[in-house]
């Protein structure tokens, strides 16, 4: 077979395809030889295609329309809301009104200090001061007429009476501390290199000598204190970790066989130590509340501690009923 006869159709087919491709390019773009004045614009910015806004319109059309109520329904709702909300404006010249408006009159007098504006502010201030004076006089009379409200009954303010209260407090406190020392001791955790432990030791020795407290020293590092106090000590065998000791000196009030009450983790003065011992003993039930109250220089009087739910909301609406209910709770209650 002749090879030229076979290749001739293939060559004609390729030429036809090339001519069709060139014809297509000529229809879409202008030839360089026709528009050669433009040159080769390699970085020419092409215009952006126009967006089709039809889908957005369709989306808007597909959105649910709000529920538009008839005008009569809207008007009815507005009227109902206005009727439900009462007027919160306080009565003129009342304490609430003065609290809301006095600053306004002051600012008005500062911005425009006319005689009328300044006088208006000072007149309102005079009203407020007269109200306060009237309340003070009434309060003094009410307090002096009711021993439950008069603080001088619980703790006198006169010098001679206050001195007597302090004397009675010291006598009762000494008696209570000796009673506590007869049944409880003080657990003392220390370290040999702790300077605060060194100064705490003489205070504990004073408690031991004055009231008879037994001191139980425990060394955390197994060494004695250099000042020679409490040389007969015990080594810590895990008691400190069990009681949560983090700082030294650490003091605990211990009543055999199992009652241990924390006092402090840090140095205490003698007054602080005795005060904490009395409070810890009261909370532990070793002394009664009235006895503890006397040690604080306060006369043993009933306290206003009504039980939860003992006074109904209806009682609180009437001042006289509220007073009577609180008085009954004070007489029936006990001291702290």
């Amino acid at each position: 077979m002749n090879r030229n006869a076979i290749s001739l159709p293939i060559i004609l087919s390729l030429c036809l395809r090339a001519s069709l491709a060139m014809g297509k390019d000529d229809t879409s773009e202008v030839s360089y030889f026709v528009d050669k004045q433009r040159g080769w614009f390699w970085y020419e910015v092409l215009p952006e295609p126009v967006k089709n806004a039809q889908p957005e319109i369709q989306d808007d059309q597909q959105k649910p329309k709000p529920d538009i109520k008839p005008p009569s329904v809207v008007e009815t709702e507005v009227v109902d809301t206005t009727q439900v909300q009462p007027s919160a404006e306080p009565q003129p010249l009342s304490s609430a009104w003065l609290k809301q408006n006095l600053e306004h009159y002051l600012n008005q007098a500062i911005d425009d200090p006319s005689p009328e504006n300044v006088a208006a502010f000072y007149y309102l201030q005079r009203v407020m001061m007269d109200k306060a004076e009237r309340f003070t006089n009434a309060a003094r009379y009410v307090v002096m007429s009711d021993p439950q409200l008069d603080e001088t009954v619980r703790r006198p303010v006169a010098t001679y009476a206050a001195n007597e209260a302090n004397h009675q407090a010291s006598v009762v406190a000494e008696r209570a501390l000796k009673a506590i020392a007869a049944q409880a001791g003080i657990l003392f955790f220390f370290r040999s290199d702790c300077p605060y432990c060194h100064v705490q030791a003489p205070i504990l020795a004073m408690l031991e000598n004055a009231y008879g407290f037994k001191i139980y020293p425990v060394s955390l590092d197994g060494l004695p204190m250099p000042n020679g106090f409490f040389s007969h000590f015990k080594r810590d065998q895990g008691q400190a970790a069990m009681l949560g000791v983090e700082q030294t000196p650490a003091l605990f009030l211990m009543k055999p066989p199992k009652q241990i009450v924390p006092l402090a983790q840090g140095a205490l003065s003698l007054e602080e130590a005795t005060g904490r011992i009395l409070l810890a003993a009261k909370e532990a039930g070793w002394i009664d509340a009235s006895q503890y109250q006397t040690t604080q220089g306060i006369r043993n009087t009933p306290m206003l501690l009504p039980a939860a739910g003992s006074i109904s909301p209806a009682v609180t609406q009437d001042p006289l009923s509220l007073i009577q209910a609180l008085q009954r709770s004070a007489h029936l209650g006990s001291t702290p």
Side-chain angles (χ1 to χ4, degrees):
M1 182 180 293
N2 190 358
R3 293 182 178 180
N4 293 331
I6 296 173
S7 61
L8 182 59
I10 296 174
I11 294 173
L12 292 176
S13 175
L14 292 175
C15 292
L16 180 60
R17 289 183 180 180
S19 62
L20 291 175
M22 292 177 62
K24 184 177 180 181
D25 292 339
D26 291 340
T27 57
S28 60
E29 296 182 3
V30 180
S31 174
Y32 169 75
F33 296 101
V34 178
D35 193 15
K36 59 184 177 180
Q37 289 81 4
R38 295 175 68 243
W40 296 102
F41 290 94
W42 298 102
Y43 301 96
E44 184 176 4
V45 179
L46 299 176
E48 295 185 0
V50 180
K51 296 182 179 180
N52 188 6
Q54 187 65 24
E56 296 182 0
I57 297 175
Q58 293 178 356
D59 292 339
D60 293 338
Q61 291 176 353
Q62 293 177 357
K63 291 182 179 179
K65 295 183 179 180
D67 187 11
I68 302 176
K69 298 181 179 180
S72 59
V73 177
V74 177
E75 292 176 359
T76 303
E77 291 181 354
V78 172
V79 172
D80 292 343
T81 304
T82 306
Q83 291 176 356
V84 170
Q85 295 179 352
S87 177
E89 183 66 22
Q91 185 179 0
L93 300 184
S94 64
S95 60
W97 187 90
L98 289 171
K99 185 182 297 184
Q100 291 182 4
N101 295 279
L102 189 62
E103 186 176 0
H104 165 72
Y105 282 92
L106 172 61
N107 295 333
Q108 181 174 290
I110 293 175
D111 295 336
D112 183 13
S114 64
E116 295 81 6
N117 291 340
V118 175
F121 165 72
Y122 274 101
Y123 266 97
L124 291 176
Q125 183 176 254
R126 181 75 261 173
V127 170
M128 183 178 63
M129 294 172 65
D130 289 345
K131 282 176 174 285
E133 182 179 359
R134 184 179 63 181
F135 169 78
T136 301
N137 293 333
R140 291 180 60 189
Y141 179 76
V142 169
V143 169
M144 63 183 282
S145 303
D146 191 342
Q148 186 62 41
L149 301 178
D150 193 353
E151 286 299 318
T152 60
V153 175
R154 303 180 69 235
R155 172 68 185 182
V157 294
T159 303
Y160 70 92
N163 292 336
E164 180 60 25
N166 294 335
H167 173 69
Q168 293 295 328
S170 62
V171 171
V172 176
E174 183 178 2
R175 188 183 306 123
L177 288 169
K178 289 182 178 180
I180 297 170
Q183 54 183 325
I186 297 177
L187 191 58
F188 173 39
F189 291 96
F190 69 91
R191 295 182 61 89
S192 61
D193 57 351
C194 170
Y196 301 103
C197 300
H198 304 164
V199 296
Q200 184 69 82
I203 303 298
L204 296 178
M206 293 174 63
L207 285 173
E208 188 176 32
N209 296 329
Y211 306 108
F213 280 100
K214 177 65 177 177
I215 310 299
Y216 299 92
V218 179
S219 176
L220 297 184
D221 57 2
L223 299 176
M225 283 186 292
N227 54 13
F229 281 95
F230 305 113
S231 57
H232 300 287
F233 60 87
K234 293 185 176 181
R235 297 174 182 269
D236 179 39
Q237 301 294 332
Q239 300 94 329
M242 183 176 60
L243 294 174
V245 175
E246 298 180 358
Q247 301 292 334
T248 54
L251 304 177
F252 294 84
L253 195 61
M254 182 175 62
K255 181 180 179 182
K258 296 181 179 180
Q259 287 184 287
I260 298 179
V261 182
L263 292 177
Q265 293 195 32
L268 296 177
S269 66
L270 180 62
E271 183 178 3
E272 290 175 332
T274 56
R276 294 194 180 195
I277 290 172
L278 290 170
L279 178 59
K282 191 264 292 186
E283 293 296 329
W286 302 343
I287 60 174
D288 57 37
S290 61
Q291 187 179 10
Y292 173 77
Q293 195 171 5
T294 306
T295 63
Q296 305 304 302
I298 300 174
R299 185 177 296 182
N300 184 18
T301 58
M303 302 192 71
L304 292 176
L305 296 173
S310 61
I311 299 178
S312 63
V315 172
T316 61
Q317 301 301 318
D318 179 45
L320 182 58
S321 300
L322 177 61
I323 292 171
Q324 293 174 349
L326 290 174
Q327 288 175 343
R328 287 193 299 269
S329 67
H331 290 297
L332 294 175
S334 60
T335 55

